[in-house]
Amino acid sequence: MQEELELNLEQLEKIVELVDKYIKQKGDCVILLQGDLASGKTTLVKNYVKSKSIEDLVTSPTFSIQTIYSNNIYHYDVYNKGLEEFISLGLLEEFEKEGVHFVEWGDERLEELLHSYGFNVITIKIEKKENKRQYIINA
């Protein structure tokens, strides 16, 4: 199923609600966030965490690779590492943990690998459009 929305950042709760709906349908899943620098990948994770009434500080895990928030919410950034190093660090096994796993910079290779292992995957492509963002969600 694919949905496409174009929203400004003040309307981000609509995307969060849609993502939450898919998570409830799929259960534990990996959400691949794709988009250019400053497209809003971390902002989406911040808003999702906030929607769960969690007050954890959400920042991009660019240098730490993984951050774990309350309520089994995981956040990864593979930008600096690449898929091979991500796997060699044992992080693929992290997806077996119960919860929702947000992966910034997750590409098609990672998506194929996750599907081959039987993980539930949602892909969100974010594109900057002036003062709005276009979200293409494949669930």
Side-chain angles (χ1 to χ4, degrees), residues 46-82:
K46 282 181 186 179
N47 280 269
Y48 179 80
V49 169
K50 184 179 176 184
S51 78
K52 298 296 172 191
S53 300
I54 299 170
E55 300 202 15
D56 294 357
L57 177 64
V58 176
T59 60
S60 178
T62 302
F63 299 105
S64 62
I65 304 170
Q66 179 192 47
T67 304
I68 302 170
Y69 307 116
S70 301
N71 296 5
N72 297 329
I73 299 172
Y74 301 84
H75 189 191
Y76 311 84
D77 187 322
V78 297
Y79 181 73
N80 285 330
K81 298 298 176 196

Side-chain angles (χ1 to χ4, degrees), residues 100-113:
V100 179
H101 301 262
F102 290 92
V103 182
E104 295 191 28
W105 302 100
D107 61 13
E108 290 78 18
R109 290 181 19 211
L110 178 56
E111 182 177 6
E112 289 173 19
L113 183 64

Side-chain angles (χ1 to χ4, degrees), residues 100-132:
V100 179
H101 301 262
F102 290 92
V103 182
E104 295 191 28
W105 302 100
D107 61 13
E108 290 78 18
R109 290 181 19 211
L110 178 56
E111 182 177 6
E112 289 173 19
L113 183 64
L114 293 172
H115 281 298
S116 74
Y117 279 98
F119 289 105
N120 292 321
V121 179
I122 298 170
T123 303
I124 303 175
K125 295 181 182 180
I126 307 170
E127 187 177 321
K128 293 189 278 187
K129 297 203 171 218
E130 294 179 25
N131 63 341
K132 293 187 177 190

Side-chain angles (χ1 to χ4, degrees), residues 12-41:
L12 198 54
E13 72 276 351
K14 291 179 183 177
I15 294 295
V16 170
E17 289 170 9
L18 190 58
V19 168
D20 201 39
K21 179 183 95 171
Y22 287 127
I23 291 169
K24 286 176 181 166
Q25 290 172 355
K26 290 183 172 276
D28 295 343
C29 63
V30 179
I31 300 174
L32 302 179
L33 302 172
Q34 302 170 342
D36 292 335
L37 286 170
S39 62
K41 296 178 294 295

Side-chain angles (χ1 to χ4, degrees), residues 7-14 43 47 131-132 135:
L7 306 166
N8 60 39
L9 289 177
E10 290 79 37
Q11 299 170 305
L12 198 54
E13 72 276 351
K14 291 179 183 177
T43 301
N47 280 269
N131 63 341
K132 293 187 177 190
Y135 298 87

